[in-house]
Amino acid sequence: MTARLHAPTDPNAALDTLAGWLAEARHIAVLTGAGMSTESGIPDFRSYQGRYTQNASLAEVLSIDYFQHNPADFWQAFKEIFELKLVGNKQPNAGHRFLAWLETQGKTVSVLTQNIDGLHQCAGSREVVEVHGTLQRAVCPACGRMHDLAHVLASPLPRCLSCCTPLKPDVVLYGEAVSQFEAALLKVLDADVLLVLGSSLEVGPVNLLPLEAHQHGIDCALINLDPTRLDRCFDLVFRAPIGQTAQALQARLESRA
Ligand code: NAD
């Protein structure tokens, strides 16, 4: 395990170290959160201007309990919070593109994302585990039929085309199990490096992934504007914007090639 280096004590040395890990890694696991997409114009939940701080009841509104009791109110709020009409207008940013670029350099890159915006796939990442689901689909809780975003947008309360039951977004709501957690954990434990980008690490069980990586001696780096309660699990911590840091890393990797 590499010695703990915390930016900004010596950010250039920390960047050199991380670039070295990435250059040597066969398999890189990347856990991303809402901070990954703020540079694409999608607000996060917990940073200063994030929506969570403006509306303390967000976790209640985005819960399975609220959906089951008030599907019409739930859908109205869900569409507003995630600006569903605008989903197709958002573009990947330099951070998303960097992860896709790493694959072109012969790396296996497992993107484990808490995001539901689909921007990693838009950027070209091929192996993406959407641990909290996706905005692109809605599922019928009664018969399991999937429906696309166009159908969801067509009416205020989208219903199943087979059985007319109100649809649920194909996302993990607060109070629901994270069925993809095991798959994500297996990717992390197989990796040489874990990179965590733009997550407060407040949401479980996904926030166990860096703890597991740390306990298994996997090199761990965090790029996040705000401190997290799990900073101690990381060998490198960058308190910096993802896009700028990704570009600095790419320049270092290109100069090694
Ligand atoms: P979070 O909102 O709790 O935390 C985001 C973190 O990202 C913050 O600590 C902030 O400091 C950091 N950050 C913001 N912009 C950054 C930048 N440019 N560079 C570096 N760091 C930056 O996000 P979370 O941990 O992912 O948890 C929120 C939950 O809400 C997740 O489950 C996620 O599914 C969901 N969510 C998703 C989206 C999306 O799909 N884009 C958006 C909002 C919320």
Side-chain angles (χ1 to χ4, degrees):
M1 170 89 65
T2 310
R4 180 174 289 259
L5 286 173
H6 279 276
T9 313
D10 187 350
N12 282 319
L15 279 169
D16 289 342
T17 302
L18 181 52
W21 292 353
L22 297 177
E24 282 160 31
R26 170 193 56 89
H27 182 186
I28 302 163
V30 189
L31 172 61
T32 68
M36 185 84 213
S37 295
T38 56
E39 293 172 36
S40 295
I42 303 174
D44 64 8
F45 276 1
R46 288 191 178 78
S47 65
Y48 182 64
Q49 291 179 318
R51 288 174 173 177
Y52 198 85
T53 47
Q54 287 171 21
N55 182 356
S57 69
L58 207 56
E60 287 165 42
V61 172
L62 296 177
S63 70
I64 185 68
D65 189 58
Y66 191 64
F67 167 76
Q68 285 170 342
H69 289 94
N70 311 281
D73 292 345
F74 168 89
W75 270 107
Q76 187 185 355
F78 187 84
K79 287 179 178 184
E80 280 172 21
I81 291 165
F82 291 107
E83 296 178 330
L84 228 52
K85 278 187 193 154
L86 304 177
V87 163
N89 298 344
K90 305 293 181 185
Q91 298 302 322
N93 61 52
H96 297 103
R97 289 194 295 273
F98 172 64
L99 300 181
W101 176 81
L102 281 174
E103 279 191 55
T104 69
Q105 305 305 297
K107 306 293 177 187
T108 299
V109 182
S110 300
V111 178
L112 317 167
T113 188
Q114 299 171 81
N115 293 344
I116 53 181
D117 56 32
L119 289 184
H120 286 297
Q121 294 92 327
C122 286
S125 286
R126 287 177 301 177
E127 193 191 313
V128 182
V129 180
E130 293 177 307
V131 286
H132 289 165
T134 175
L135 292 173
Q136 298 295 332
R137 295 185 300 267
V139 61
C140 174
C143 72
R145 180 170 173 177
M146 284 290 180
H147 298 71
D148 64 17
L149 185 58
H151 178 70
V152 167
L153 290 172
S155 56
L157 174 56
R159 288 181 178 274
C160 178
L161 288 166
S162 299
C163 66
C164 216
T165 302
L167 298 177
K168 188 187 92 62
D170 192 21
V171 304
V172 178
L173 299 176
Y174 286 92
E176 287 192 295
V178 177
S179 62
Q180 296 271 52
F181 178 73
E182 288 287 321
L185 180 58
L186 288 175
K187 297 290 182 194
V188 168
L189 296 183
D190 180 63
D192 304 301
V193 177
L194 173 66
L195 200 51
V196 177
L197 306 179
S199 177
S200 63
L201 296 172
E202 289 291 327
V203 178
V206 170
N207 57 4
L208 295 176
L209 295 173
L211 274 169
E212 289 284 345
H214 176 68
Q215 281 166 7
H216 283 80
I218 295 164
D219 288 326
C220 297
L222 170 69
I223 305 173
N224 205 63
L225 287 176
D226 293 303
T228 78
R229 284 190 287 171
L230 295 179
D231 281 6
R232 66 189 157 76
C233 293
F234 293 89
D235 306 290
L236 295 172
V237 176
F238 298 86
R239 201 80 64 222
I242 294 165
Q244 182 188 312
T245 312
Q247 284 167 336
L249 285 168
Q250 186 167 334
R252 279 166 167 76
L253 289 165
E254 282 171 336
S255 72
R256 280 171 163 256

